[in-house]
Amino acid sequence: MTLNYVFLAMPGFQEILIILILAGIFIFGAKKIPELARTLGRAKGEFEKGKIEGEKELKDFKNKDVKSD
């Protein structure tokens, strides 16, 4: 029964998210947050491009391997 009380005291996802946002504002300042968000967005876009390109190369390699057999 005492374990139930321990889980009630733990923060959930929303609380952790709010804490991280507030920590980011305190650490980086409010003016840096949009710049960081843009940088993360660009990085995600580059990652997606690389992923698509890698999948395309893998598909081409498999097709080349099948044609050579």
Side-chain angles (χ1 to χ4, degrees):
M1 281 284 200
T2 58
L3 286 177
N4 291 338
Y5 296 116
V6 172
F7 290 118
L8 289 175
M10 292 183 171
F13 177 74
Q14 292 175 342
E15 289 86 3
I16 292 173
L17 186 63
I18 290 170
I19 291 168
L20 289 175
I21 289 171
L22 291 175
I25 290 171
F26 286 129
I27 292 170
F28 300 113
K31 293 181 181 178
K32 281 283 193 182
I33 299 295
E35 183 180 327
L36 290 170
R38 275 192 296 277
T39 303
L40 287 174
R42 287 184 192 130
K44 183 180 180 234
E46 290 296 321
F47 176 79
E48 292 294 326
K49 285 181 192 176
K51 183 177 145 187
I52 291 169
E53 186 176 317
E55 289 172 350
K56 182 179 179 237
E57 288 181 14
L58 183 62
K59 183 179 173 186
D60 291 344
F61 180 75
K62 285 182 181 179
N63 287 339
K64 188 186 293 184
D65 191 37
V66 170
K67 289 179 183 177
S68 66
D69 286 341

Short mmCIF file of all heavy atoms in Angstrom, two decimals:
data_model
loop_
_atom_site.label_atom_id
_atom_site.label_comp_id
_atom_site.label_asym_id
_atom_site.label_seq_id
_atom_site.Cartn_x
_atom_site.Cartn_y
_atom_site.Cartn_z
N MET A 1 0.81 -1.20 0.00
CA MET A 1 0.00 0.00 0.00
C MET A 1 0.85 1.27 0.00
O MET A 1 0.46 2.26 -0.54
CB MET A 1 -0.93 0.01 1.22
CG MET A 1 -2.13 -0.85 1.05
SD MET A 1 -3.27 0.02 -0.01
CE MET A 1 -4.76 -0.74 0.35
N THR A 2 2.00 1.23 0.62
CA THR A 2 2.82 2.44 0.69
C THR A 2 3.42 2.80 -0.66
O THR A 2 3.78 3.94 -0.88
CB THR A 2 3.94 2.28 1.73
OG1 THR A 2 4.73 1.16 1.37
CG2 THR A 2 3.38 2.12 3.12
N LEU A 3 3.55 1.83 -1.56
CA LEU A 3 4.08 2.13 -2.89
C LEU A 3 3.16 3.06 -3.67
O LEU A 3 3.62 3.85 -4.48
CB LEU A 3 4.31 0.84 -3.68
CG LEU A 3 5.51 0.00 -3.24
CD1 LEU A 3 5.55 -1.28 -4.06
CD2 LEU A 3 6.79 0.76 -3.40
N ASN A 4 1.87 2.98 -3.45
CA ASN A 4 0.93 3.85 -4.14
C ASN A 4 1.19 5.31 -3.83
O ASN A 4 1.05 6.18 -4.67
CB ASN A 4 -0.50 3.49 -3.78
CG ASN A 4 -0.90 2.14 -4.35
OD1 ASN A 4 -0.30 1.67 -5.30
ND2 ASN A 4 -1.89 1.51 -3.74
N TYR A 5 1.58 5.61 -2.60
CA TYR A 5 1.87 6.98 -2.21
C TYR A 5 3.14 7.49 -2.88
O TYR A 5 3.26 8.67 -3.19
CB TYR A 5 1.98 7.10 -0.69
CG TYR A 5 0.68 6.79 0.01
CD1 TYR A 5 0.56 5.71 0.86
CD2 TYR A 5 -0.44 7.58 -0.20
CE1 TYR A 5 -0.63 5.42 1.49
CE2 TYR A 5 -1.64 7.31 0.42
CZ TYR A 5 -1.74 6.23 1.26
OH TYR A 5 -2.92 5.95 1.87
N VAL A 6 4.10 6.61 -3.11
CA VAL A 6 5.35 7.00 -3.78
C VAL A 6 5.06 7.44 -5.21
O VAL A 6 5.60 8.43 -5.69
CB VAL A 6 6.37 5.84 -3.75
CG1 VAL A 6 7.58 6.17 -4.59
CG2 VAL A 6 6.77 5.51 -2.33
N PHE A 7 4.22 6.71 -5.91
CA PHE A 7 3.90 7.06 -7.29
C PHE A 7 3.11 8.36 -7.40
O PHE A 7 3.20 9.06 -8.39
CB PHE A 7 3.15 5.92 -7.98
CG PHE A 7 4.00 4.72 -8.24
CD1 PHE A 7 3.72 3.51 -7.66
CD2 PHE A 7 5.12 4.82 -9.07
CE1 PHE A 7 4.51 2.40 -7.90
CE2 PHE A 7 5.92 3.73 -9.31
CZ PHE A 7 5.62 2.52 -8.72
N LEU A 8 2.35 8.70 -6.38
CA LEU A 8 1.61 9.95 -6.39
C LEU A 8 2.54 11.15 -6.29
O LEU A 8 2.24 12.22 -6.79
CB LEU A 8 0.58 9.98 -5.26
CG LEU A 8 -0.62 9.06 -5.43
CD1 LEU A 8 -1.48 9.11 -4.17
CD2 LEU A 8 -1.43 9.45 -6.64
N ALA A 9 3.68 10.97 -5.64
CA ALA A 9 4.62 12.07 -5.45
C ALA A 9 5.50 12.30 -6.67
O ALA A 9 6.12 13.35 -6.80
CB ALA A 9 5.49 11.79 -4.23
N MET A 10 5.59 11.34 -7.59
CA MET A 10 6.43 11.47 -8.77
C MET A 10 5.77 12.39 -9.80
O MET A 10 4.57 12.29 -10.03
CB MET A 10 6.70 10.11 -9.39
CG MET A 10 7.55 9.22 -8.58
SD MET A 10 7.83 7.71 -9.48
CE MET A 10 9.05 6.95 -8.47
N PRO A 11 6.56 13.26 -10.42
CA PRO A 11 5.99 14.13 -11.45
C PRO A 11 5.67 13.34 -12.72
O PRO A 11 6.40 12.41 -13.08
CB PRO A 11 7.08 15.17 -11.69
CG PRO A 11 8.34 14.49 -11.27
CD PRO A 11 7.96 13.54 -10.18
N GLY A 12 4.61 13.74 -13.39
CA GLY A 12 4.22 13.12 -14.63
C GLY A 12 4.90 13.79 -15.81
O GLY A 12 5.75 14.67 -15.67
N PHE A 13 4.52 13.39 -17.02
CA PHE A 13 5.13 13.92 -18.24
C PHE A 13 4.91 15.43 -18.36
O PHE A 13 5.82 16.16 -18.69
CB PHE A 13 4.56 13.21 -19.46
CG PHE A 13 5.08 13.75 -20.76
CD1 PHE A 13 6.38 13.46 -21.16
CD2 PHE A 13 4.30 14.57 -21.56
CE1 PHE A 13 6.87 13.98 -22.35
CE2 PHE A 13 4.78 15.08 -22.74
CZ PHE A 13 6.08 14.78 -23.14
N GLN A 14 3.71 15.88 -18.09
CA GLN A 14 3.40 17.31 -18.22
C GLN A 14 4.22 18.15 -17.23
O GLN A 14 4.73 19.22 -17.60
CB GLN A 14 1.92 17.57 -18.01
CG GLN A 14 1.06 17.00 -19.11
CD GLN A 14 -0.42 17.16 -18.84
OE1 GLN A 14 -0.84 17.40 -17.72
NE2 GLN A 14 -1.22 17.03 -19.89
N GLU A 15 4.35 17.67 -16.02
CA GLU A 15 5.13 18.41 -15.04
C GLU A 15 6.60 18.48 -15.43
O GLU A 15 7.25 19.51 -15.31
CB GLU A 15 4.99 17.78 -13.65
CG GLU A 15 3.64 17.99 -13.01
CD GLU A 15 2.63 16.92 -13.41
OE1 GLU A 15 3.00 15.98 -14.15
OE2 GLU A 15 1.46 17.03 -13.00
N ILE A 16 7.14 17.36 -15.91
CA ILE A 16 8.54 17.34 -16.35
C ILE A 16 8.74 18.27 -17.52
O ILE A 16 9.74 19.00 -17.59
CB ILE A 16 8.96 15.89 -16.70
CG1 ILE A 16 9.01 15.06 -15.43
CG2 ILE A 16 10.32 15.88 -17.38
CD1 ILE A 16 9.25 13.59 -15.65
N LEU A 17 7.80 18.29 -18.46
CA LEU A 17 7.90 19.18 -19.62
C LEU A 17 7.90 20.64 -19.19
O LEU A 17 8.72 21.44 -19.67
CB LEU A 17 6.74 18.92 -20.59
CG LEU A 17 6.77 19.66 -21.91
CD1 LEU A 17 7.99 19.25 -22.72
CD2 LEU A 17 5.51 19.37 -22.69
N ILE A 18 7.04 21.00 -18.28
CA ILE A 18 6.99 22.38 -17.78
C ILE A 18 8.30 22.74 -17.08
O ILE A 18 8.85 23.82 -17.29
CB ILE A 18 5.78 22.57 -16.84
CG1 ILE A 18 4.49 22.51 -17.65
CG2 ILE A 18 5.88 23.89 -16.08
CD1 ILE A 18 3.23 22.45 -16.82
N ILE A 19 8.83 21.83 -16.29
CA ILE A 19 10.09 22.08 -15.60
C ILE A 19 11.22 22.28 -16.60
O ILE A 19 12.05 23.18 -16.46
CB ILE A 19 10.41 20.93 -14.62
CG1 ILE A 19 9.42 20.95 -13.45
CG2 ILE A 19 11.85 21.01 -14.11
CD1 ILE A 19 9.45 19.73 -12.58
N LEU A 20 11.27 21.45 -17.65
CA LEU A 20 12.32 21.59 -18.66
C LEU A 20 12.21 22.91 -19.42
O LEU A 20 13.22 23.56 -19.72
CB LEU A 20 12.27 20.41 -19.64
CG LEU A 20 12.72 19.07 -19.07
CD1 LEU A 20 12.49 17.97 -20.10
CD2 LEU A 20 14.16 19.13 -18.64
N ILE A 21 10.99 23.32 -19.73
CA ILE A 21 10.80 24.60 -20.43
C ILE A 21 11.26 25.75 -19.55
O ILE A 21 11.97 26.65 -20.01
CB ILE A 21 9.32 24.76 -20.86
CG1 ILE A 21 9.00 23.79 -21.99
CG2 ILE A 21 9.05 26.20 -21.29
CD1 ILE A 21 7.53 23.71 -22.34
N LEU A 22 10.87 25.74 -18.29
CA LEU A 22 11.29 26.80 -17.38
C LEU A 22 12.80 26.80 -17.18
O LEU A 22 13.42 27.86 -17.14
CB LEU A 22 10.57 26.66 -16.03
CG LEU A 22 9.07 26.96 -16.05
CD1 LEU A 22 8.45 26.66 -14.70
CD2 LEU A 22 8.82 28.39 -16.46
N ALA A 23 13.40 25.63 -17.08
CA ALA A 23 14.85 25.54 -16.93
C ALA A 23 15.54 26.10 -18.16
O ALA A 23 16.55 26.81 -18.05
CB ALA A 23 15.27 24.10 -16.67
N GLY A 24 15.00 25.79 -19.34
CA GLY A 24 15.57 26.32 -20.57
C GLY A 24 15.50 27.84 -20.63
O GLY A 24 16.45 28.49 -21.06
N ILE A 25 14.40 28.39 -20.18
CA ILE A 25 14.26 29.85 -20.16
C ILE A 25 15.27 30.46 -19.19
O ILE A 25 15.91 31.47 -19.51
CB ILE A 25 12.82 30.25 -19.79
CG1 ILE A 25 11.88 29.90 -20.94
CG2 ILE A 25 12.73 31.74 -19.49
CD1 ILE A 25 10.41 30.06 -20.62
N PHE A 26 15.44 29.85 -18.04
CA PHE A 26 16.40 30.40 -17.07
C PHE A 26 17.84 30.25 -17.55
O PHE A 26 18.66 31.13 -17.36
CB PHE A 26 16.25 29.72 -15.71
CG PHE A 26 15.03 30.16 -14.96
CD1 PHE A 26 14.15 29.23 -14.43
CD2 PHE A 26 14.75 31.51 -14.78
CE1 PHE A 26 13.03 29.63 -13.73
CE2 PHE A 26 13.62 31.92 -14.09
CZ PHE A 26 12.76 30.98 -13.56
N ILE A 27 18.15 29.13 -18.19
CA ILE A 27 19.52 28.87 -18.62
C ILE A 27 19.88 29.69 -19.85
O ILE A 27 20.93 30.33 -19.90
CB ILE A 27 19.74 27.37 -18.88
CG1 ILE A 27 19.66 26.60 -17.57
CG2 ILE A 27 21.08 27.11 -19.56
CD1 ILE A 27 19.63 25.10 -17.73
N PHE A 28 19.05 29.66 -20.87
CA PHE A 28 19.38 30.29 -22.15
C PHE A 28 18.81 31.69 -22.30
O PHE A 28 19.26 32.44 -23.15
CB PHE A 28 18.88 29.41 -23.31
CG PHE A 28 19.50 28.05 -23.31
CD1 PHE A 28 18.73 26.93 -23.06
CD2 PHE A 28 20.85 27.89 -23.58
CE1 PHE A 28 19.29 25.67 -23.08
CE2 PHE A 28 21.41 26.63 -23.59
CZ PHE A 28 20.64 25.52 -23.34
N GLY A 29 17.81 32.02 -21.55
CA GLY A 29 17.16 33.31 -21.69
C GLY A 29 16.04 33.22 -22.72
O GLY A 29 16.07 32.40 -23.63
N ALA A 30 15.07 34.08 -22.59
CA ALA A 30 13.89 34.02 -23.44
C ALA A 30 14.20 34.34 -24.91
O ALA A 30 13.55 33.85 -25.81
CB ALA A 30 12.82 34.97 -22.92
N LYS A 31 15.23 35.14 -25.14
CA LYS A 31 15.56 35.52 -26.52
C LYS A 31 16.24 34.38 -27.28
O LYS A 31 16.18 34.34 -28.50
CB LYS A 31 16.46 36.75 -26.52
CG LYS A 31 15.76 37.99 -26.03
CD LYS A 31 16.66 39.19 -26.08
CE LYS A 31 15.92 40.42 -25.55
NZ LYS A 31 16.78 41.60 -25.54
N LYS A 32 16.90 33.48 -26.59
CA LYS A 32 17.62 32.38 -27.23
C LYS A 32 16.72 31.19 -27.57
O LYS A 32 17.07 30.38 -28.41
CB LYS A 32 18.75 31.88 -26.33
CG LYS A 32 19.97 32.73 -26.36
CD LYS A 32 20.75 32.45 -27.61
CE LYS A 32 22.13 33.04 -27.51
NZ LYS A 32 22.88 32.84 -28.71
N ILE A 33 15.59 31.08 -26.93
CA ILE A 33 14.71 29.92 -27.13
C ILE A 33 14.27 29.78 -28.59
O ILE A 33 14.36 28.69 -29.16
CB ILE A 33 13.51 29.97 -26.17
CG1 ILE A 33 13.97 29.93 -24.72
CG2 ILE A 33 12.52 28.85 -26.45
CD1 ILE A 33 14.65 28.66 -24.30
N PRO A 34 13.78 30.84 -29.27
CA PRO A 34 13.39 30.67 -30.67
C PRO A 34 14.57 30.26 -31.57
O PRO A 34 14.40 29.44 -32.48
CB PRO A 34 12.87 32.05 -31.08
CG PRO A 34 12.48 32.70 -29.81
CD PRO A 34 13.42 32.17 -28.78
N GLU A 35 15.74 30.79 -31.29
CA GLU A 35 16.92 30.42 -32.07
C GLU A 35 17.25 28.93 -31.88
O GLU A 35 17.57 28.23 -32.85
CB GLU A 35 18.10 31.28 -31.64
CG GLU A 35 19.36 31.04 -32.44
CD GLU A 35 20.50 31.92 -31.97
OE1 GLU A 35 20.26 33.06 -31.53
OE2 GLU A 35 21.65 31.45 -32.06
N LEU A 36 17.17 28.47 -30.65
CA LEU A 36 17.41 27.05 -30.38
C LEU A 36 16.36 26.17 -31.06
O LEU A 36 16.69 25.11 -31.60
CB LEU A 36 17.41 26.80 -28.88
CG LEU A 36 18.60 27.35 -28.10
CD1 LEU A 36 18.36 27.22 -26.61
CD2 LEU A 36 19.87 26.62 -28.49
N ALA A 37 15.11 26.61 -31.06
CA ALA A 37 14.04 25.85 -31.70
C ALA A 37 14.27 25.77 -33.21
O ALA A 37 14.08 24.71 -33.82
CB ALA A 37 12.69 26.48 -31.40
N ARG A 38 14.70 26.89 -33.83
CA ARG A 38 15.00 26.87 -35.26
C ARG A 38 16.15 25.92 -35.56
O ARG A 38 16.10 25.15 -36.53
CB ARG A 38 15.35 28.28 -35.75
CG ARG A 38 14.17 29.12 -36.12
CD ARG A 38 14.60 30.39 -36.86
NE ARG A 38 15.41 31.28 -36.04
CZ ARG A 38 14.92 32.16 -35.18
NH1 ARG A 38 13.62 32.27 -35.03
NH2 ARG A 38 15.72 32.94 -34.48
N THR A 39 17.17 25.96 -34.74
CA THR A 39 18.32 25.08 -34.94
C THR A 39 17.92 23.62 -34.83
O THR A 39 18.33 22.79 -35.64
CB THR A 39 19.43 25.40 -33.91
OG1 THR A 39 19.78 26.77 -34.04
CG2 THR A 39 20.64 24.53 -34.11
N LEU A 40 17.10 23.30 -33.83
CA LEU A 40 16.62 21.93 -33.69
C LEU A 40 15.75 21.51 -34.87
O LEU A 40 15.82 20.38 -35.34
CB LEU A 40 15.85 21.77 -32.38
CG LEU A 40 16.70 21.77 -31.12
CD1 LEU A 40 15.80 21.75 -29.88
CD2 LEU A 40 17.63 20.59 -31.10
N GLY A 41 14.93 22.43 -35.37
CA GLY A 41 14.10 22.13 -36.53
C GLY A 41 14.93 21.85 -37.77
O GLY A 41 14.65 20.92 -38.52
N ARG A 42 15.96 22.67 -37.98
CA ARG A 42 16.85 22.44 -39.12
C ARG A 42 17.58 21.11 -38.99
O ARG A 42 17.74 20.37 -39.96
CB ARG A 42 17.86 23.57 -39.23
CG ARG A 42 17.26 24.86 -39.72
CD ARG A 42 18.34 25.92 -39.91
NE ARG A 42 17.71 27.22 -40.12
CZ ARG A 42 18.02 28.31 -39.46
NH1 ARG A 42 18.99 28.30 -38.56
NH2 ARG A 42 17.39 29.44 -39.70
N ALA A 43 18.04 20.80 -37.78
CA ALA A 43 18.74 19.54 -37.55
C ALA A 43 17.82 18.35 -37.82
O ALA A 43 18.23 17.36 -38.43
CB ALA A 43 19.27 19.48 -36.12
N LYS A 44 16.57 18.47 -37.40
CA LYS A 44 15.61 17.40 -37.66
C LYS A 44 15.37 17.23 -39.15
O LYS A 44 15.29 16.12 -39.66
CB LYS A 44 14.29 17.68 -36.95
CG LYS A 44 13.28 16.57 -37.12
CD LYS A 44 11.97 16.86 -36.42
CE LYS A 44 11.04 15.71 -36.64
NZ LYS A 44 9.78 16.08 -37.18
N GLY A 45 15.27 18.36 -39.87
CA GLY A 45 15.08 18.31 -41.32
C GLY A 45 16.26 17.64 -42.01
O GLY A 45 16.08 16.81 -42.92
N GLU A 46 17.48 17.98 -41.60
CA GLU A 46 18.67 17.35 -42.18
C GLU A 46 18.71 15.87 -41.87
O GLU A 46 19.10 15.05 -42.71
CB GLU A 46 19.94 18.03 -41.66
CG GLU A 46 20.15 19.43 -42.20
CD GLU A 46 20.36 19.44 -43.70
OE1 GLU A 46 21.04 18.55 -44.24
OE2 GLU A 46 19.81 20.36 -44.34
N PHE A 47 18.31 15.50 -40.67
CA PHE A 47 18.26 14.09 -40.30
C PHE A 47 17.28 13.34 -41.19
O PHE A 47 17.58 12.25 -41.68
CB PHE A 47 17.87 13.94 -38.82
CG PHE A 47 17.70 12.51 -38.39
CD1 PHE A 47 18.80 11.74 -38.12
CD2 PHE A 47 16.44 11.96 -38.26
CE1 PHE A 47 18.65 10.42 -37.73
CE2 PHE A 47 16.28 10.65 -37.87
CZ PHE A 47 17.39 9.87 -37.60
N GLU A 48 16.10 13.93 -41.41
CA GLU A 48 15.10 13.29 -42.27
C GLU A 48 15.60 13.15 -43.70
O GLU A 48 15.40 12.12 -44.34
CB GLU A 48 13.79 14.08 -42.24
CG GLU A 48 13.08 14.04 -40.91
CD GLU A 48 12.57 12.67 -40.53
OE1 GLU A 48 12.18 11.90 -41.44
OE2 GLU A 48 12.59 12.35 -39.33
N LYS A 49 16.27 14.19 -44.22
CA LYS A 49 16.84 14.11 -45.57
C LYS A 49 17.86 12.98 -45.66
O LYS A 49 17.87 12.22 -46.63
CB LYS A 49 17.52 15.43 -45.95
CG LYS A 49 16.59 16.54 -46.29
CD LYS A 49 17.41 17.78 -46.67
CE LYS A 49 16.56 19.01 -46.76
NZ LYS A 49 17.36 20.22 -47.02
N GLY A 50 18.72 12.89 -44.67
CA GLY A 50 19.73 11.82 -44.65
C GLY A 50 19.10 10.45 -44.56
O GLY A 50 19.56 9.50 -45.19
N LYS A 51 18.05 10.35 -43.77
CA LYS A 51 17.34 9.07 -43.64
C LYS A 51 16.72 8.65 -44.96
O LYS A 51 16.85 7.50 -45.39
CB LYS A 51 16.26 9.21 -42.56
CG LYS A 51 15.49 7.97 -42.26
CD LYS A 51 14.52 8.24 -41.12
CE LYS A 51 13.25 7.47 -41.32
NZ LYS A 51 12.23 7.80 -40.36
N ILE A 52 16.07 9.59 -45.65
CA ILE A 52 15.44 9.30 -46.94
C ILE A 52 16.51 8.92 -47.96
O ILE A 52 16.35 7.96 -48.73
CB ILE A 52 14.60 10.49 -47.41
CG1 ILE A 52 13.37 10.64 -46.52
CG2 ILE A 52 14.19 10.33 -48.87
CD1 ILE A 52 12.60 11.93 -46.72
N GLU A 53 17.62 9.66 -47.97
CA GLU A 53 18.70 9.38 -48.91
C GLU A 53 19.31 8.00 -48.65
O GLU A 53 19.59 7.24 -49.57
CB GLU A 53 19.77 10.46 -48.80
CG GLU A 53 20.86 10.32 -49.83
CD GLU A 53 21.85 11.47 -49.74
OE1 GLU A 53 21.41 12.63 -49.57
OE2 GLU A 53 23.06 11.20 -49.83
N GLY A 54 19.49 7.67 -47.37
CA GLY A 54 20.03 6.36 -47.02
C GLY A 54 19.10 5.24 -47.43
O GLY A 54 19.55 4.20 -47.93
N GLU A 55 17.80 5.43 -47.23
CA GLU A 55 16.83 4.41 -47.64
C GLU A 55 16.83 4.24 -49.15
O GLU A 55 16.72 3.12 -49.66
CB GLU A 55 15.44 4.78 -47.14
CG GLU A 55 15.28 4.65 -45.64
CD GLU A 55 13.96 5.19 -45.12
OE1 GLU A 55 13.22 5.84 -45.89
OE2 GLU A 55 13.67 4.97 -43.93
N LYS A 56 16.97 5.36 -49.88
CA LYS A 56 17.00 5.30 -51.34
C LYS A 56 18.25 4.55 -51.82
O LYS A 56 18.16 3.70 -52.71
CB LYS A 56 17.00 6.71 -51.93
CG LYS A 56 16.98 6.74 -53.44
CD LYS A 56 16.95 8.16 -53.95
CE LYS A 56 16.96 8.11 -55.46
NZ LYS A 56 18.05 8.82 -56.04
N GLU A 57 19.40 4.85 -51.22
CA GLU A 57 20.63 4.15 -51.60
C GLU A 57 20.54 2.66 -51.28
O GLU A 57 21.00 1.83 -52.07
CB GLU A 57 21.83 4.76 -50.88
CG GLU A 57 22.21 6.12 -51.42
CD GLU A 57 23.42 6.70 -50.72
OE1 GLU A 57 24.12 5.95 -49.99
OE2 GLU A 57 23.67 7.90 -50.89
N LEU A 58 19.95 2.31 -50.16
CA LEU A 58 19.77 0.91 -49.80
C LEU A 58 18.87 0.21 -50.80
O LEU A 58 19.16 -0.91 -51.24
CB LEU A 58 19.21 0.79 -48.39
CG LEU A 58 19.03 -0.62 -47.84
CD1 LEU A 58 20.37 -1.33 -47.76
CD2 LEU A 58 18.37 -0.58 -46.48
N LYS A 59 17.79 0.88 -51.20
CA LYS A 59 16.87 0.31 -52.18
C LYS A 59 17.57 0.13 -53.53
O LYS A 59 17.44 -0.92 -54.17
CB LYS A 59 15.66 1.23 -52.35
CG LYS A 59 14.61 0.71 -53.29
CD LYS A 59 13.44 1.70 -53.37
CE LYS A 59 12.45 1.28 -54.43
NZ LYS A 59 11.40 2.27 -54.61
N ASP A 60 18.35 1.13 -53.95
CA ASP A 60 19.10 1.03 -55.20
C ASP A 60 20.11 -0.10 -55.14
O ASP A 60 20.29 -0.85 -56.11
CB ASP A 60 19.82 2.34 -55.53
CG ASP A 60 18.87 3.47 -55.89
OD1 ASP A 60 17.68 3.19 -56.19
OD2 ASP A 60 19.31 4.64 -55.86
N PHE A 61 20.78 -0.26 -54.01
CA PHE A 61 21.76 -1.33 -53.84
C PHE A 61 21.10 -2.69 -53.94
O PHE A 61 21.62 -3.60 -54.58
CB PHE A 61 22.49 -1.18 -52.50
CG PHE A 61 23.50 -2.24 -52.25
CD1 PHE A 61 24.71 -2.22 -52.92
CD2 PHE A 61 23.25 -3.26 -51.34
CE1 PHE A 61 25.66 -3.21 -52.69
CE2 PHE A 61 24.18 -4.24 -51.11
CZ PHE A 61 25.39 -4.23 -51.79
N LYS A 62 19.94 -2.83 -53.30
CA LYS A 62 19.20 -4.10 -53.35
C LYS A 62 18.76 -4.39 -54.78
O LYS A 62 18.85 -5.53 -55.24
CB LYS A 62 17.99 -4.06 -52.42
CG LYS A 62 18.34 -4.19 -50.97
CD LYS A 62 17.09 -4.18 -50.11
CE LYS A 62 17.41 -4.30 -48.64
NZ LYS A 62 16.20 -4.27 -47.81
N ASN A 63 18.27 -3.37 -55.50
CA ASN A 63 17.84 -3.57 -56.87
C ASN A 63 19.02 -3.95 -57.76
O ASN A 63 18.89 -4.79 -58.65
CB ASN A 63 17.16 -2.31 -57.42
CG ASN A 63 15.78 -2.12 -56.81
OD1 ASN A 63 15.17 -3.04 -56.31
ND2 ASN A 63 15.30 -0.88 -56.84
N LYS A 64 20.18 -3.32 -57.56
CA LYS A 64 21.36 -3.63 -58.35
C LYS A 64 21.81 -5.06 -58.07
O LYS A 64 22.21 -5.79 -58.97
CB LYS A 64 22.50 -2.67 -58.01
CG LYS A 64 23.70 -2.81 -58.91
CD LYS A 64 24.86 -1.95 -58.47
CE LYS A 64 24.54 -0.49 -58.64
NZ LYS A 64 25.68 0.39 -58.30
N ASP A 65 21.72 -5.49 -56.81
CA ASP A 65 22.12 -6.83 -56.42
C ASP A 65 21.20 -7.87 -57.05
O ASP A 65 21.64 -8.92 -57.51
CB ASP A 65 22.11 -6.96 -54.90
CG ASP A 65 22.77 -8.24 -54.42
OD1 ASP A 65 23.78 -8.64 -55.03
OD2 ASP A 65 22.28 -8.83 -53.42
N VAL A 66 19.90 -7.60 -57.11
CA VAL A 66 18.93 -8.52 -57.70
C VAL A 66 19.14 -8.61 -59.21
O VAL A 66 19.09 -9.70 -59.80
CB VAL A 66 17.48 -8.06 -57.38
CG1 VAL A 66 16.47 -8.85 -58.19
CG2 VAL A 66 17.21 -8.19 -55.90
N LYS A 67 19.44 -7.49 -59.89
CA LYS A 67 19.64 -7.48 -61.34
C LYS A 67 20.92 -8.23 -61.73
O LYS A 67 20.99 -8.83 -62.79
CB LYS A 67 19.71 -6.05 -61.85
CG LYS A 67 18.38 -5.36 -61.83
CD LYS A 67 18.49 -3.93 -62.33
CE LYS A 67 17.15 -3.22 -62.23
NZ LYS A 67 17.26 -1.82 -62.64
N SER A 68 21.93 -8.21 -60.88
CA SER A 68 23.19 -8.87 -61.20
C SER A 68 23.11 -10.39 -61.05
O SER A 68 23.94 -11.10 -61.56
CB SER A 68 24.33 -8.32 -60.35
OG SER A 68 24.12 -8.66 -59.00
N ASP A 69 22.09 -10.88 -60.34
CA ASP A 69 21.94 -12.34 -60.16
C ASP A 69 21.41 -13.00 -61.36
O ASP A 69 21.09 -13.03 -62.31
CB ASP A 69 21.01 -12.66 -59.00
CG ASP A 69 21.66 -12.40 -57.66
OD1 ASP A 69 22.91 -12.34 -57.63
OD2 ASP A 69 20.94 -12.26 -56.66
#
